[in-house]
Amino acid sequence: MNVGGKHFRTIWLNEDGRSVDIIDQRWLPHEFRVVTLSTVDDVAVAIRDMWVRGAPLIGVTAAYGMAIQMRQDASDAALDDAWEKLNETRPTAINLRWALDEMRKLLKPLPVAERVAAAYKRAAEIADEDVELNRSIGGNGLAIIKQIAARKKPGERVNILTHCNAGWLATVDYGTATAPIYLAVEAGIPVHVYVDETRPRNQGAQLTAWEMAGHGVPHTLIVDNAGGHLMQHGEVDMVIVGTDRTTANGDVCNKIGTYLKALAAKDNDIPFYVALPSPTIDWTVSDGLTEIPIEERSGDEVSYVQGKAATGEIVQVRVSPETSPSGNPAFDVTPARLVTGLITERGVAKASRDGLAALFPERRQG
Ligand code: MRU
């Protein structure tokens, strides 16, 4: 998408043909910094410490990490080591393991001499595929926004609430939850987005709000606890969120707080949609609540908040007593029964085993 009038993806091959450049998301919205990752260790740090984040982007970055490793050492042992090192960086988003498995499946049977070229080619394909998947999700989600707009008075805005950042910054381009929104704006539909701040790391306040502002999407930043109130007062027409892992039966794991939005949406009869590319579906898992590992991050993310000081410096300030410990589960699971529909690249599925299998018959088991 556009940054200052120039098109950017979130990740691209450096001109040296070996390293990858990424937008270092830790400094947004205050500073736009690009950094180069040259080793598999660089890539592991960038994923673990959330220089890049968002399920699809984590997967693509890991794929490039495997390619970078192949350039250094393309042996079987190095391949397996890189897989392990990258896989343990973040446990919840399944796109990471999906992309690593894609790379290993391709590379293992190849002669060592052919692995480097094949690895860079496949990583680039995974990146391009992500863009295409998101475009298709956008079209399928746009149809839903159009239906809602058609029920409104002419010119009346469609209010969409989103949580965390499932925007272009979380993917290679377009985003998942935001793709339908960007297409709706292009189609001239008057949309307005309520952006949850998304504590503790504030991906909504820092990233989604920046994206919306950058693309002229009317939006309002709200605290995480405001969504239910707005829903009760008819201010929200639909919720669209992304997901880090959706199970074969349609349970949705996403950024902590998503479940509360889904509960409030259900209570107020507001459609709750989840936008996802198929690599985010974990076909091996049926029960999201018990089978998905929930990342527990540092309590410092809760105790401190990052922002820009009056001096222009980016600083972290403590918001809680020094003596109060903090807990930080990073994701929660929204049961399928609370989800109105799953917006995928192939269409909108019912959040159920049969619903997903109808769109992805090749994955139907039993
Ligand atoms: O911890 P993060 O910032 O990586 O979490 C991101 C999310 O939870 C997104 O909603 C999810 O990855 C979907 S991104 C298209």
Side-chain angles (χ1 to χ4, degrees), residues 50 53-56 58 90 163-167 170-171 176 203 242-244 254-255 331:
M50 295 177 66
R53 25 68 51 205
I58 294 170
R90 295 201 67 192
H163 189 66
C164 194
N165 174 263
T171 65
T176 55
Q203 288 95 327
T243 167
D244 292 84
N254 191 45
K255 182 53 56 191
F331 299 95

Side-chain angles (χ1 to χ4, degrees), residues 31-235:
E31 288 175 20
F32 183 79
R33 295 191 197 173
V34 171
V35 296
T36 301
L37 310 176
S38 302
T39 66
V40 69
D41 288 324
D42 291 348
V43 171
V45 169
I47 297 173
R48 183 180 304 113
D49 295 346
M50 295 177 66
W51 308 10
V52 289
R53 25 68 51 205
L57 179 56
I58 294 170
V60 173
T61 311
Y64 272 113
M66 294 287 276
I68 289 170
Q69 176 60 64
M70 291 301 91
R71 175 88 65 188
Q72 278 179 303
D73 177 355
S75 65
D76 278 1
L79 181 64
D80 289 338
D81 281 355
W83 190 100
E84 292 291 345
K85 184 177 283 178
L86 294 165
N87 187 49
E88 67 190 21
T89 51
R90 295 201 67 192
T92 302
I94 194 63
N95 306 58
L96 176 65
R97 202 182 68 206
W98 174 85
L100 290 172
D101 284 347
E102 281 285 303
M103 296 298 284
R104 187 158 67 177
K105 195 171 63 190
L106 169 81
L107 298 173
K108 260 287 170 69
L110 294 179
V112 169
E114 290 175 23
R115 287 181 179 173
V116 177
Y120 278 93
K121 181 168 173 286
R122 183 67 190 124
E125 280 168 7
I126 292 174
D128 290 345
E129 283 163 17
D130 181 64
V131 179
E132 287 315 310
L133 293 175
N134 296 336
R135 276 212 187 98
S136 302
I137 288 168
N140 294 329
L142 174 63
I144 299 169
I145 297 177
K146 278 185 173 162
Q147 282 165 16
I148 294 174
R151 293 198 293 269
K152 296 201 150 236
K153 295 193 193 97
E156 205 184 345
R157 68 189 196 177
V158 176
N159 285 302
I160 301 169
L161 184 140
T162 192
H163 189 66
C164 194
N165 174 263
W168 72 270
L169 289 167
T171 65
V172 177
D173 211 346
Y174 292 105
T176 55
T178 54
I181 295 170
Y182 289 129
L183 290 186
V185 170
E186 262 175 42
I189 298 169
V191 292
H192 167 264
V193 181
Y194 282 112
V195 177
D196 279 358
E197 61 180 348
T198 318
R199 278 281 282 149
R201 287 185 69 101
N202 284 319
Q203 288 95 327
Q206 298 185 330
L207 305 177
T208 305
W210 182 77
E211 281 196 24
M212 297 289 111
H215 292 83
V217 182
H219 64 287
T220 306
L221 178 64
I222 54 171
V223 297
D224 289 322
N225 298 325
H229 166 79
L230 292 171
M231 290 183 205
Q232 285 175 319
H233 289 271
E235 288 290 324

Side-chain angles (χ1 to χ4, degrees), residues 2 6 20 28 92 119 121 143 162 178 200 208 213 236 248-249 253 264 267 313 315 322 344:
N2 293 325
K6 188 174 167 203
V20 282
L28 291 172
T92 302
K121 181 168 173 286
T162 192
T178 54
T208 305
V236 178
N249 67 327
C253 182
D267 193 44
E313 210 188 340
V315 293
E322 298 281 350
T344 76

Side-chain angles (χ1 to χ4, degrees), residues 283-365:
W283 299 98
T284 69
V285 164
S286 300
D287 181 5
L289 267 186
T290 58
E291 295 179 69
I292 298 178
I294 300 294
E295 180 176 6
E296 181 76 31
R297 293 189 63 85
S298 164
D300 283 354
E301 293 182 352
V302 179
S303 305
Y304 292 83
V305 169
Q306 176 172 296
K308 190 175 178 179
T311 56
E313 210 188 340
I314 295 177
V315 293
Q316 296 213 328
V317 293
R318 183 156 186 118
V319 290
S320 58
E322 298 281 350
T323 47
S324 294
S326 304
N328 189 10
F331 299 95
D332 62 24
V333 174
T334 298
R337 66 188 150 77
L338 299 179
V339 177
T340 308
L342 301 169
I343 308 172
T344 76
E345 71 270 17
R346 292 197 189 169
V348 182
K350 227 170 136 340
S352 66
R353 185 171 292 278
D354 283 348
L356 277 171
L359 281 189
F360 298 93
E362 71 278 18
R363 306 307 302 243
R364 188 187 283 276
Q365 279 162 357

